Amino acid sequence: MSITQNLTQLKASLKKEVTLVAVSKTKPIADLQEAYNAGQRVFGENKIQEMTTKWEALPKDIEWHMIGHVQRNKVKYMASYVSLIHGVDSLKLLKEIDKQAKKHQRRINCLMQIHIAEEETKFGLDASELINLVQTDEFKELDHIQVVGVMGMATFTKDDSQIRKEFKALKSIFDSLQKLLPQVTFISMGMSGDYKIAIEEGSNMVRIGSSIFGSRNY
Ligand SMILES: *Cc1c(COP(=O)(O)O)cnc(C)c1O
């Protein structure tokens, strides 16, 4: 099926309160243009340089989401245009985003990445680290970032009950964070393989790549 057909089907199956982030990493600009022509306006990338090249080439009403791990020294390259950074997992990184956002006189929305998977390799904070972080004075002083939610990735497994358990854990962290920060509204969970479970468990933002653009070659 074509990108347009994939997108149309997927969107028809999602409730309107669920934001679809079309994950276009590694895909050529022509593929993103096709998705754009089919009405898609939110794209997710995991490399700052690649995202910036695509931002330069494509229409300016696209919302660009950084979904990958962010190195502090590269924040400056996306600070003028990025809409949402999903993978924030330290106060140090928040401070750098705040500093770069200030230079552009804007406020950058961020999601805190939570470690919910069993795998050691996935980035993120645990619940208590998150709750401690947002209660520090240093965090409260940052006025050019806004934490608007959480993001997490489940273990890569065929065991649906394991995935569901991890998503439930993220939803409960989201609920606790929302009590402390009223601006928290987004729970970014679910990819091509597990977004249906994620939505059942309360996700309102899914990051979907291969089900729209086809598989990637790496
Ligand atoms: C690549 C990626 C996705 C999309 O994965 P698919 O399985 O292709 O849908 C979602 N989230 C993150 C953080 C990713 O890196």
Side-chain angles (χ1 to χ4, degrees):
M1 285 212 302
S2 71
I3 292 169
T4 304
Q5 287 170 319
N6 290 340
L7 252 179
T8 309
Q9 269 195 9
L10 184 58
K11 281 216 276 222
S13 78
L14 295 176
K15 291 179 286 183
K16 68 173 188 317
E17 52 273 22
V18 176
T19 300
L20 171 61
V21 181
V23 175
S24 47
K25 62 192 186 193
T26 79
K27 297 297 176 183
I29 284 168
D31 287 7
L32 283 76
Q33 184 70 55
E34 181 176 343
Y36 180 90
N37 293 345
Q40 183 64 24
R41 291 294 180 273
V42 183
F43 291 85
E45 291 281 336
N46 70 340
K47 295 208 167 73
I48 293 173
Q49 200 152 26
E50 181 179 341
M51 182 168 81
T52 301
T53 306
K54 289 171 173 173
W55 164 70
E56 282 166 353
L58 284 157
K60 293 296 171 281
D61 61 342
I62 290 175
E63 259 188 45
W64 293 97
H65 289 201
M66 173 43 60
I67 61 166
H69 184 66
V70 175
Q71 284 172 278
R72 267 180 291 144
N73 62 351
K74 293 195 176 148
V75 172
K76 56 178 176 285
Y77 301 115
M78 63 176 170
S80 69
Y81 71 89
V82 69
S83 296
L84 183 62
I85 303 178
H86 289 232
V88 181
D89 63 359
S90 71
L91 184 58
K92 263 185 163 174
L93 179 56
L94 277 172
K95 282 183 180 171
E96 177 63 18
I97 297 167
D98 185 80
K99 181 176 145 193
Q100 297 300 332
K102 190 173 180 182
K103 288 187 187 164
H104 295 279
Q105 296 166 327
R106 58 191 298 252
R107 184 182 248 201
I108 296 180
N109 287 333
C110 298
L111 303 181
M112 300 307 294
Q113 185 168 355
I114 311 301
H115 185 273
I116 52 171
E118 281 186 326
E119 293 128 339
E120 284 295 332
T121 52
K122 290 187 178 155
F123 298 99
L125 299 164
D126 66 30
S128 61
E129 288 170 331
L130 173 71
I131 299 304
N132 290 336
L133 191 160
V134 302
Q135 290 179 299
T136 60
D137 291 337
E138 280 176 294
F139 173 78
K140 291 175 189 162
E141 282 161 13
L142 302 175
D143 46 13
H144 289 82
I145 54 108
Q146 172 138 267
V147 170
V148 295
V150 295
M151 177 271 218
M153 272 190 278
T155 304
F156 188 70
T157 172
K158 287 197 163 64
D159 180 358
D160 283 359
S161 69
Q162 176 69 25
I163 294 171
R164 191 178 293 281
K165 188 178 88 186
E166 293 171 3
F167 285 156
K168 273 189 202 301
L170 183 57
K171 174 62 163 63
S172 125
I173 295 169
F174 168 80
D175 291 340
S176 321
L177 185 63
Q178 205 170 37
K179 294 198 181 93
L180 295 170
L181 306 177
Q183 72 272 21
V184 161
T185 41
F186 294 110
I187 173 165
S188 167
M189 63 181 190
M191 327 199 332
S192 294
D194 58 19
Y195 75 90
K196 287 180 184 151
I197 303 175
I199 290 170
E200 285 167 11
E201 296 306 329
S203 171
N204 58 20
M205 184 173 273
V206 291
R207 309 175 309 272
I208 299 185
S210 42
S211 295
I212 299 171
F213 296 104
S215 57
R216 292 174 299 271
N217 307 318
Y218 73 97

